[in-house]
Amino acid sequence: MSKKLFLIDGTALIYRAFFAMDDSLSTSTGIPTNASYGIARMLTKFIKEKLKLGDCIVFALDKKTVTYRHELLKEYKANRPKTPDGMLRQIPYIKKIVEALGIRVLEVENFEADDLIATLAAKGKHDFDEIYIVTSDKDMMQLVDNKIFILRVGHKGLTDLEFVDRDYVVKKYGVSPEQIPDFLALVGDISDNIPGVKGIGPKSAAKLLSRYRTLEEIYKHLDDLPEKLSKLLECGKENAFLSKRLTNLVSDIDLEIDWSDLEYKSYNKKELLEVFKELEFTSLMKEYQLYDEINEDVDYKIIATEDDFDHLLETLKEAEVVSLDLETTSLSPIDAKIVGIALSTKQKSGYYIPVGHKTQEQQLNVEKVLPKLMETLEGSKVIGQNLKFDYSIVYSAGYEFHVDFDTMIAAYLLEPDQKRFGLDELAMKYLKYKPISYNELFSAGTLFGGSIENLSIEKVAKYSIEDADVAFRLYKVLNEKIYSLSLDRVLREIEIPLIPVLARMELNGVYFDREYLRKLSSNYEEKINELLEKIYKLAGEAFNLNSPKQVSHILFEKLGIKPRKKTKMGSYSTSAESLEEMVNEHEIVPLILEYRKYFKLKSTYVDALPRMINLKTKRIHSSFNQTGTATGRLSSSEPNLQNIPNRDEEGKEIRKALVPQQKGWKIMSADYSQIELRILAHFSEDDNLLKAFKEDLDVHSITASKIFGVPVDEVDSSMRRIGKTVNFSIIYGITPYGLSRRLKIPTKDCDKIITNYFQNYPGVRKYIESTLEKAKRERFVYTLFGRRREVPQLKSKNKNIQQEGVRVAVNTPIQGTAADIIKLAMIRIDRKIRERNLKSKMILQVHDELVFEVPEDEVETMREIVKGEMENVIKLKVPLKVDIKVGNHWE
């Protein structure tokens, strides 16, 4: 087997990682981490794909920024920006990561990484069959030969490596690798401020070197060259030879090397865990299976007899806080049966009550256990992870418990921009502890199949009690953090009380008229076929409209339509946005857009919804997620019923499928009118906005009137549409460019529109400016109720990231407050329905809208409750207004 040497240009890779990744990434203690995380990720992939045990590998770094090249040329690399402080702070951590990964870091005083690599490559030619230099620097091309190759780093770092050999160099530059210093001496290198010869380009340089081989030979034959070229070379002679000295790599640094010291022997688990913990790289800790080796002294008991259960009930009566975790046969509360119940009342302690195992082991009867257990927990504070699921299971069985704390939701409130809040992730992050995973529970296989009820009680007990125990430990940590950051109001008054409300909504589910959807599907199929026939006729052939490649061929090659933009992969874009720009270019384009609309509606909703109907309830039971968005809004999944379109006629047709399941019932919709603009009026205290809402005027017409400078009664529908777009765009920190894309009018016109808006709403401008100033200072923005979100993007050097920060800072307090308001309204409406023992059901929440299924004789009662609670949930400086509609279907 051939032995390989890998030489990584570490300095270049660090720069690439720093500028490629969001420079606002940091730990909770403020350590910047974008470059170190990028390096860790890139090297992890490189090790997996390229490196074998026994190969040698070096991560080469510049030792000092001033080298002998700076003595030759004062301006050497002078046009490169100063190394950012955020990057310099990360270099010590990067060195730790690289060394912990099992890769040797090397640096030599007064030499660049390039020279170190050149020296190692020269020394290694006698000891290795293949040498690979990992770099993006074209200077390194001069080292390529029959043993030395380059893996050229592309835009995606080490995931995008291009193989470079002699043939590659000759084909790309027209010269051999040995001629690269001569080539660069002629053409120069802007990135390193190497002058070259003014007026000599790559083609001329390659032609000269093809004829004379070296720079020295070229200058010996100046008289043989055309006069103009000869003069250019004569004038640039000094720069040419200086450039060659600058680009020639040093390959004889005095370096004592023992290759055995550079062998890859795998990573150092302890060192890697230490640095990953400090930098809070929990996903990498999980990937490497790194966690503290704690000798857990736990007290976990199985409760399988009635005597043991009675003793447990006495223990639970004395407990102030009880952590609960249910093991079930299904993730669907509608279909799930309880297999076991885990409880913990203190750290490293817990109990497991088996009630549904199929292993013939001694266990208790769930019908006897559940009522007694729920009665005992009636006065307890029940905590846990993702308790909405456990509550749903218990509620389905006819019982309830008081939810006091949910670790998943607490972690979300602390860091709403994170994507993962699973128990494993939280345990690793906050406890530096790795629980048994669900997959590990089944790793040894089962005798009767892969269901948890077929596993032994002992095996499940350890797993389940640990979950309850870990949730208890997390509660101790997260509860303290919640209070220290004043998030207790959002948690205690909004998110926790919402859990039972959402559980009941999910269990209620939504009824769809299956027959209506079947007919609609048939209509859409007909429409799609009609469109296909027209499209194929215009194209002159049949093709796959769902294939971007085939659509691109028809539009841009066959029909000769001028493409607007390219995809990241370099092909011409056929996205909806691109096609919208060409809609007047050819009659086929609007037809393709219409086809896509019907195809998506049919496949995503009309045909998909019937497949999601539960056989037992005949309803669809979507999940409402409290941790799905960073602003605090609920999201919906399996299926996402919040995404059913409502603006165009076709979307409205789908909404007509949502009907009451029982005869004599109605669908009631309650929608907050312009709630985000009302919140903006409250925050900004702008006189014009306050007046508009207090007097119940048409705020969109007023805005249009002000930005176009016409009386309100002269505002036409087109102007009002622009006024409406501007009103809502301002909430998102829109730029003139962004507005122009929405309105499809020139950017300069949008610049004037935004300027006019702020001149007429000075309070809004002042609010936005003060919000941004405070966000830059404090790094956080807050809703009216104290929900907070970090905005590190505002301190980024990248203008696109900064603009994202502006959007987040301006929009989050408004959208987050709207989310909090509707959540509070849901809690109060649910409470009123239960207090009055009404049959009505809350079945959907779609952003600012609530949907109910209501018996006809409860319509007026519900109208009064819903309107009253939604409009009076909080007192703002302007009134909240709710529009209520009642009908036989949602639309």
Side-chain angles (χ1 to χ4, degrees), residues 599-662:
F599 184 85
K600 183 179 179 181
L601 289 172
K602 185 176 185 296
S603 60
T604 308
Y605 302 109
V606 180
D607 291 344
L609 288 173
R611 292 196 296 268
M612 296 178 180
I613 294 171
N614 185 281
L615 295 175
K616 191 187 296 184
T617 65
K618 305 291 189 290
R619 298 169 75 92
I620 291 177
H621 300 270
S622 178
S623 294
F624 292 93
N625 313 306
Q626 288 170 269
T627 61
T629 70
T631 59
R633 276 191 166 189
L634 292 173
S635 65
S636 165
S637 59
E638 298 180 74
N640 182 359
L641 296 177
Q642 293 182 333
N643 252 12
I644 295 177
N646 67 341
R647 296 190 186 280
D648 54 28
E649 198 55 46
E650 291 76 24
K652 290 177 180 179
E653 282 183 346
I654 296 171
R655 288 187 167 217
K656 288 177 184 176
L658 193 157
V659 297
Q661 187 171 9
Q662 300 176 59

Side-chain angles (χ1 to χ4, degrees), residues 34 144 159 174 179 203 208 210-211 234 254 312 362 424 472 520 527 641 653 656 661 703 723 728 778 794 813 834 888:
N34 62 327
V144 172
T159 62
Q179 292 176 299
K203 286 184 180 178
L208 285 166
S210 173
R211 185 174 176 185
E234 188 63 51
D254 186 14
L312 172 60
Q362 184 177 5
D424 290 3
F472 194 98
L520 194 58
K527 183 70 177 172
L641 296 177
E653 282 183 346
K656 288 177 184 176
Q661 187 171 9
T703 295
F728 287 113
E778 298 181 1
L794 290 175
R834 284 158 64 78
N888 294 322

Side-chain angles (χ1 to χ4, degrees), residues 26 282 411-412 414-421 429 627-630:
S26 64
T282 51
Y412 158 72
L414 292 169
E415 295 183 273
D417 278 291
Q418 293 298 311
K419 302 296 179 193
R420 298 176 148 214
F421 301 100
K429 182 169 187 172
T627 61
T629 70

Side-chain angles (χ1 to χ4, degrees), residues 173 187 269 303 374 434 508 597 613 658 695 729 818:
Y173 297 103
V187 302
K269 188 174 180 180
I303 307 298
M374 290 302 115
K434 181 192 172 297
N508 286 338
K597 177 178 72 175
I613 294 171
L658 193 157
E695 296 180 14
S729 296

Side-chain angles (χ1 to χ4, degrees), residues 586-854:
H586 195 286
E587 57 186 313
I588 198 172
V589 178
L591 293 176
I592 290 174
L593 284 169
E594 194 174 1
Y595 162 83
R596 284 185 180 177
K597 177 178 72 175
Y598 279 103
F599 184 85
K600 183 179 179 181
L601 289 172
K602 185 176 185 296
S603 60
T604 308
Y605 302 109
V606 180
D607 291 344
L609 288 173
R611 292 196 296 268
M612 296 178 180
I613 294 171
N614 185 281
L615 295 175
K616 191 187 296 184
T617 65
K618 305 291 189 290
R619 298 169 75 92
I620 291 177
H621 300 270
S622 178
S623 294
F624 292 93
N625 313 306
Q626 288 170 269
T627 61
T629 70
T631 59
R633 276 191 166 189
L634 292 173
S635 65
S636 165
S637 59
E638 298 180 74
N640 182 359
L641 296 177
Q642 293 182 333
N643 252 12
I644 295 177
N646 67 341
R647 296 190 186 280
D648 54 28
E649 198 55 46
E650 291 76 24
K652 290 177 180 179
E653 282 183 346
I654 296 171
R655 288 187 167 217
K656 288 177 184 176
L658 193 157
V659 297
Q661 187 171 9
Q662 300 176 59
K663 287 183 179 179
W665 285 54
K666 297 288 182 181
I667 296 296
M668 176 181 286
S669 162
D671 196 358
Y672 273 118
S673 172
Q674 301 164 343
I675 187 170
E676 292 184 0
L677 289 178
R678 291 171 191 269
I679 292 165
L680 177 62
H682 175 85
F683 279 140
S684 68
E685 297 182 326
D686 182 89
D687 290 338
N688 286 323
L689 272 185
L690 292 173
K691 181 175 187 291
F693 286 120
K694 284 178 180 177
E695 296 180 14
D696 200 19
L697 304 175
D698 181 355
V699 71
H700 301 320
S701 291
I702 290 171
T703 295
S705 161
K706 292 184 182 300
I707 60 180
F708 288 110
V710 298
V712 174
D713 56 8
E714 290 181 21
V715 171
D716 59 27
S717 60
S718 175
M719 290 176 174
R720 187 183 184 277
R721 179 182 64 82
I722 291 173
K724 182 176 181 179
T725 302
V726 172
N727 275 334
F728 287 113
S729 296
I730 291 297
I731 296 169
Y732 289 89
I734 198 81
T735 62
Y737 173 73
L739 188 61
S740 76
R741 289 174 70 86
R742 289 192 187 185
L743 295 176
K744 294 181 174 54
I745 60 176
T747 303
K748 62 179 181 179
D749 294 344
C750 291
D751 191 31
K752 288 178 186 175
I753 287 172
I754 291 174
T755 300
N756 285 348
Y757 177 93
F758 283 125
Q759 283 174 350
N760 287 285
Y761 293 107
V764 174
R765 179 190 284 279
K766 189 177 176 184
Y767 161 71
I768 290 174
E769 287 172 351
S770 64
T771 298
L772 288 173
E773 186 184 328
K774 189 177 179 184
K776 285 175 185 174
R777 190 173 63 250
E778 298 181 1
R779 289 177 59 209
F780 291 91
V781 289
Y782 300 85
T783 69
L784 192 61
F785 298 88
R787 184 187 299 275
R788 70 177 214 153
R789 186 178 180 188
E790 190 176 9
V791 199
Q793 300 97 321
L794 290 175
K795 294 196 174 181
S796 174
K797 300 290 188 294
N798 184 312
K799 288 191 175 179
N800 289 332
I801 295 172
Q802 273 183 32
Q803 191 55 45
E804 170 66 12
V806 169
R807 187 194 67 77
V808 167
V810 173
N811 174 250
T812 296
I814 296 167
Q815 194 177 101
T817 298
D820 290 341
I821 286 173
I822 199 162
K823 284 178 176 179
L824 280 170
M826 291 168 71
I827 293 164
R828 295 188 184 190
I829 292 167
D830 178 79
R831 188 183 301 143
K832 281 286 176 74
I833 289 173
R834 284 158 64 78
E835 283 174 358
R836 298 200 189 183
N837 202 24
L838 298 174
K839 295 176 186 174
S840 297
K841 302 171 182 178
M842 195 187 313
I843 57 172
L844 264 185
Q845 191 261 33
V846 183
H847 308 313
D848 305 328
E849 178 185 12
L850 295 177
V851 183
F852 304 85
E853 207 167 331
V854 183

Side-chain angles (χ1 to χ4, degrees), residues 134-250:
V134 182
T135 184
S136 57
D137 196 337
K138 56 179 172 285
D139 289 10
M140 296 282 196
M141 301 281 182
Q142 64 190 272
L143 301 175
V144 172
D145 62 17
N146 61 338
K147 263 194 176 185
I148 302 173
F149 310 98
I150 285 174
L151 295 174
R152 195 170 189 191
V153 180
H155 295 299
K156 297 178 183 177
L158 298 185
T159 62
D160 183 23
L161 293 172
E162 189 176 18
F163 178 75
V164 175
D165 58 6
R166 287 186 68 88
D167 290 343
Y168 177 100
V169 177
V170 173
K171 187 177 179 182
K172 186 169 180 68
Y173 297 103
V175 298
S176 66
E178 297 81 12
Q179 292 176 299
I180 287 292
D182 304 272
F183 178 80
L184 293 174
L186 291 167
V187 302
D189 188 345
I190 294 172
S191 64
D192 289 341
N193 226 29
I194 292 171
V197 176
K198 192 172 181 182
I200 302 291
K203 286 184 180 178
S204 298
K207 196 173 178 181
L208 285 166
L209 289 168
S210 173
R211 185 174 176 185
Y212 298 111
R213 304 302 301 165
T214 67
L215 187 69
E216 289 77 10
E217 284 299 310
I218 290 170
Y219 275 92
K220 284 179 185 177
H221 294 86
L222 288 185
D223 292 342
D224 300 338
L225 298 173
E227 186 181 353
K228 185 179 178 183
L229 183 58
S230 180
K231 278 186 177 180
L232 286 173
L233 287 163
E234 188 63 51
C235 291
K237 184 175 181 179
E238 188 179 342
N239 277 344
F241 282 97
L242 174 61
S243 297
K244 184 168 179 177
R245 291 179 68 191
L246 290 169
T247 54
N248 255 320
L249 297 176
V250 177

Side-chain angles (χ1 to χ4, degrees), residues 377-440:
L377 293 180
E378 206 170 281
S380 302
K381 295 177 179 177
V382 177
I383 65 169
Q385 166 81 5
N386 189 20
L387 277 176
K388 174 158 66 74
F389 176 78
D390 304 86
Y391 184 92
S392 298
I393 300 294
V394 170
Y395 190 79
S396 295
Y399 305 98
E400 293 184 60
F401 58 81
H402 173 69
V403 180
D404 185 74
F405 194 93
D406 191 304
T407 51
M408 181 178 76
I409 291 169
Y412 158 72
L413 288 177
L414 292 169
E415 295 183 273
D417 278 291
Q418 293 298 311
K419 302 296 179 193
R420 298 176 148 214
F421 301 100
L423 192 68
D424 290 3
E425 282 84 10
L426 299 184
M428 293 278 276
K429 182 169 187 172
Y430 292 104
L431 306 176
K432 309 300 183 253
Y433 176 81
K434 181 192 172 297
I436 303 164
S437 72
Y438 191 78
N439 288 338
E440 286 170 338

